[in-house]
Amino acid sequence: MLNHYRISHYSHFFISSKKEYLAYNSRSNTFIKLDKGLYEFYVDKKLNNISINEVNDSAFNILVKYKFVVKKEEDEDFLLERQFFEDRITYANNALSLVIAPTLDCNFDCQYCFEKGKEKGYMDKKTINQLISFIKIHKNIECLNITWYGGEPLLYTNIIRNILELIHRDFPEIPIRTHSIITNGYYFTKKAIELFKEYPLDSIQITLDGRKERHDSIRKMKISGKGSFDQIISNIDNIVKELPSTKVRIRVNIEKKNISDFILLKETYSKRWNGCKVIFYPGILRIDNKIGNAFSCEAIDRLEANRLFFDLSTQNKIEIPIYPKLVKFSGCGASMINFYVIGPKGEIYKCWNDVSDNSKVIGQLGESKLTNTSLYYRYIVGSKWYHNKECIKCFFLPICTGSCAFYRLKNKYSGGKYELCQCLQYGSDMLNQCLEYWYDNQYKKNLL
Amino acid sequence: MLNNKQQDKVVILKAEDSFDYNELSQVLGGANPMECDCVCMINCNSNDVEPPQS
């Protein structure tokens, strides 16, 4: 008996601007060129939802192998497979990821800071010991991921040192797999450099709010009002010299008004730090509207961001991969069981956007049970793609890195109307443009 | 039904190897928090935005 096949939901056919007949499958992330007759044959099958009889020829076999043509229930089975592996990662317990905020205090006074109502103070010894006990509870872990966060964590390098010493003393058999810090960079001075020579970092994230004038008008010192740009640049000079193995990720915040700042800073400072592990990337500012339920018009939306990245890439302003990538896990740390954000008073959060918001505390170090299990379950279970009808039926699912759990919960439980989809579905021609650009500029050039 | 003339009329431009979920053992138990999509990090297509080293 012949097997009946059909065109996969994940298959996309299009004719390029140069009249080439192309097809892309998001499930296998495969891109092919077809003969015109073959193209028309399959497009007709897709448009009219006509089943296809199995045939023993090479073209058909290729289309089956790369999932352009599938058996009747294969697409549905793929969704089950994706969910299975999503859950397998979500509930794995062989690593513990901790984002630790030694303080919520900060030396800067940025207007847009989302940590509203944050209190001064720092993590005391009792809390530090509770943190160590918290790690001990996780008996199955084989490694740790540590990220220092704040407020500004480098206000208290002594606390960072203390915690790292205790971790190395009490868990000598558990390696720190990734070690990173998110800092404004101002206090990345000799003392911090000496600390991280002893306890090396994989990466440092430092944010610039655009070119010097704009940065200094936003990221100014809380007390003196003085700008911080020059000091941060000087500190990065020292970091790349003293910590050459550490990747420095410079996030340049942009909104509609200052897109050119990213290009200016990247071009200027890439030369200055040529050969060093410095990465510039545009940070798309998420600015809420006045009601606080959606992004404002000042913010660059998802579609504009995709267009921007495409333009920057095709102008060689930034090295962004144009070709899609398969994704194995569409969640984030907040949607995994062994990921916690620890505040300076020992309060536990799931997402670092929640830090300083008392209503988002899910538990407390030193206590045996979580205090806000509803929020815990919402992040871990409720934020999953398979609870979202649009995601389940989305062509882009296999290549989607997932949307932000924080905003997804705002949409689901707090009347939010945030546009979250990160893929290309709202720019109908963007996928075609990306694929065609890749074909013309990378595939064809490699043939020469 | 396809006829013989239509054979070999497919050119593979790019294909990924089959999805090897055994690789998952490397990521089980926690994605690197630095890859998390959040306000403080790369917050749009985090996997795609980060360029290779400058």
Side-chain angles (χ1 to χ4, degrees):
Chain A
M1 184 180 164
L2 285 174
N3 278 315
H4 288 286
Y5 289 80
R6 66 179 185 185
I7 304 296
S8 167
H9 166 64
Y10 301 104
S11 296
H12 169 63
F13 296 84
F14 67 106
I15 301 171
S16 75
S17 59
K18 297 181 182 66
K19 305 294 177 202
E20 290 167 299
Y21 297 89
L22 304 170
Y24 170 75
N25 182 277
S26 59
R27 182 181 160 192
S28 64
N29 202 21
T30 299
F31 189 25
I32 58 175
K33 188 167 98 168
L34 296 154
D35 166 77
K36 185 181 180 215
L38 209 57
Y39 177 91
E40 288 173 347
F41 175 84
Y42 283 109
V43 168
D44 176 60
K45 300 296 181 196
K46 179 170 185 174
L47 289 176
N48 297 300
N49 198 23
I50 300 169
S51 65
I52 305 164
N53 290 331
E54 185 175 11
V55 55
N56 186 23
D57 73 29
S58 59
F60 182 80
N61 290 338
I62 288 171
L63 294 172
V64 170
K65 180 180 178 184
Y66 293 105
K67 309 298 182 190
F68 287 89
V69 174
V70 294
K71 288 180 185 168
K72 196 178 169 194
E73 290 164 345
E74 238 184 289
D75 282 346
E76 287 78 6
D77 288 342
F78 166 70
L79 288 174
L80 296 179
E81 184 184 66
R82 276 288 282 117
Q83 181 174 342
F84 174 82
F85 286 103
E86 188 91 11
D87 287 346
R88 200 173 142 193
I89 293 172
T90 297
Y91 298 106
N93 61 3
N94 64 345
L96 177 64
S97 298
L98 296 174
V99 176
I100 305 168
T103 182
L104 296 187
D105 200 3
C106 185
N107 50 321
F108 286 0
D109 190 21
C110 311
Q111 286 178 343
Y112 60 69
C113 181
F114 64 90
E115 291 181 0
K116 303 294 181 195
K118 59 191 175 187
E119 296 174 20
K120 289 187 177 181
Y122 53 88
M123 195 174 274
D124 61 21
K125 291 215 164 167
K126 183 183 170 192
T127 306
I128 292 170
N129 289 330
Q130 287 172 334
L131 172 62
I132 299 301
S133 299
F134 184 72
I135 298 173
K136 284 179 183 161
I137 292 169
H138 296 80
K139 296 186 186 304
N140 294 318
I141 60 171
E142 296 163 6
C143 63
L144 286 163
N145 298 309
I146 304 284
T147 300
W148 301 105
Y149 185 58
E152 172 46 45
L154 292 181
L155 286 173
Y156 293 97
T157 48
N158 57 324
I159 294 175
I160 296 175
R161 176 181 286 282
N162 191 356
I163 294 171
L164 286 169
E165 284 172 352
L166 290 173
I167 288 174
H168 281 80
R169 186 194 75 185
D170 290 5
F171 309 102
E173 73 290 1
I174 301 175
I176 297 178
R177 186 180 63 173
T178 62
H179 187 202
S180 50
I181 188 167
I182 295 167
T183 169
N184 59 38
Y186 193 85
Y187 286 127
F188 220 115
T189 52
K190 194 175 177 186
K191 191 177 175 185
I193 283 175
E194 291 306 315
L195 170 65
F196 293 119
K197 275 185 179 174
E198 283 182 62
Y199 300 100
L201 290 164
D202 295 290
S203 64
I204 300 165
Q205 182 198 291
I206 295 173
T207 300
L208 296 176
D209 256 310
R211 66 183 71 201
K212 175 177 162 56
E213 297 74 22
R214 179 185 159 93
H215 176 96
D216 281 345
S217 71
I218 299 170
R219 296 199 157 229
K220 49 194 176 191
M221 302 299 287
K222 191 180 279 180
I223 297 170
S224 67
K226 192 180 150 199
S228 58
F229 188 90
D230 292 338
Q231 181 65 51
I232 293 169
I233 296 296
S234 169
N235 288 347
I236 296 173
D237 282 339
N238 291 331
I239 292 170
V240 299
K241 186 177 163 196
E242 301 289 337
L243 303 173
S245 302
T246 300
K247 191 187 285 184
V248 182
R249 297 153 58 108
I250 301 179
R251 175 191 159 113
V252 181
N253 279 344
I254 54 170
E255 54 183 307
K256 285 178 181 170
K257 288 184 283 191
N258 76 319
I259 289 171
S260 62
D261 284 10
F262 170 76
I263 298 165
L264 176 82
L265 287 171
K266 183 175 187 295
E267 289 183 345
T268 305
Y269 290 99
S270 289
K271 287 175 193 161
R272 181 171 176 139
W273 298 313
N274 185 30
C276 303
K277 286 190 168 183
V278 178
I279 293 168
F280 283 84
Y281 65 93
I284 309 297
L285 274 177
R286 289 172 169 171
I287 307 167
D288 270 9
N289 63 11
K290 285 183 182 170
I291 310 168
N293 70 344
F295 296 124
S296 83
C297 58
E298 295 168 301
I300 298 169
D301 68 25
R302 295 291 185 191
L303 180 54
E304 289 168 330
N306 277 325
R307 291 227 165 95
L308 171 66
F309 296 144
F310 180 80
D311 291 342
L312 289 174
S313 179
T314 53
Q315 294 161 18
N316 294 320
K317 302 286 188 193
I318 186 171
E319 300 83 12
I320 300 173
I322 285 285
Y323 196 84
K325 285 200 299 190
L326 281 177
V327 171
K328 297 174 181 175
F329 177 64
S330 300
C332 64
S335 64
M336 302 168 78
I337 58 164
N338 263 13
F339 176 98
Y340 300 98
V341 183
I342 310 293
K345 293 183 175 171
E347 73 275 26
I348 305 172
Y349 308 88
K350 278 306 287 174
C351 173
W352 42 19
N353 289 8
D354 291 335
V355 169
S356 80
D357 182 346
N358 289 333
S359 70
K360 299 293 179 63
V361 172
I362 61 156
Q364 187 71 32
L365 293 180
E367 291 183 6
S368 59
K369 289 183 177 176
L370 296 179
T371 51
N372 189 348
T373 50
S374 297
L375 185 59
Y376 181 73
Y377 296 138
R378 284 178 182 182
Y379 267 119
I380 291 177
V381 186
S383 67
K384 292 287 189 243
W385 62 265
Y386 49 76
H387 290 307
N388 184 305
K389 287 177 185 170
E390 280 192 44
C391 292
I392 289 171
K393 65 184 180 188
C394 182
F395 164 86
F396 293 91
L397 175 71
I399 52 172
C400 177
T401 53
S403 57
C404 174
F406 173 82
Y407 285 104
R408 189 168 268 200
L409 294 192
K410 278 188 99 168
N411 281 353
K412 197 166 179 181
Y413 298 104
S414 306
K417 299 184 191 315
Y418 295 90
E419 175 49 62
L420 301 178
C421 284
Q422 300 184 336
C423 296
L424 307 165
Q425 60 265 52
Y426 293 116
S428 56
D429 59 339
M430 280 302 296
L431 178 64
N432 295 3
Q433 279 187 43
C434 288
L435 291 170
E436 192 173 341
Y437 183 85
W438 177 87
Y439 179 41
D440 287 340
N441 292 277
Q442 295 184 32
Y443 177 82
K444 287 179 181 173
K445 280 182 183 169
N446 286 337
L447 291 180
L448 296 175
Chain B
M1 183 70 75
L2 296 167
N3 59 44
N4 288 335
K5 286 183 182 175
Q6 289 174 318
Q7 289 183 15
D8 303 323
K9 295 295 179 68
V10 178
V11 178
I12 300 170
L13 305 175
K14 187 173 174 68
E16 291 214 10
D17 293 334
S18 60
F19 213 23
D20 183 5
Y21 281 108
N22 288 325
E23 288 176 22
L24 287 175
S25 60
Q26 295 167 19
V27 293
L28 287 178
N32 176 358
M34 290 293 279
E35 290 165 5
C36 174
D37 175 89
C38 95
V39 168
C40 285
M41 298 298 304
I42 304 168
N43 55 19
C44 183
N45 286 340
S46 59
N47 286 341
D48 294 337
V49 174
E50 181 176 307
Q53 287 176 30
S54 312

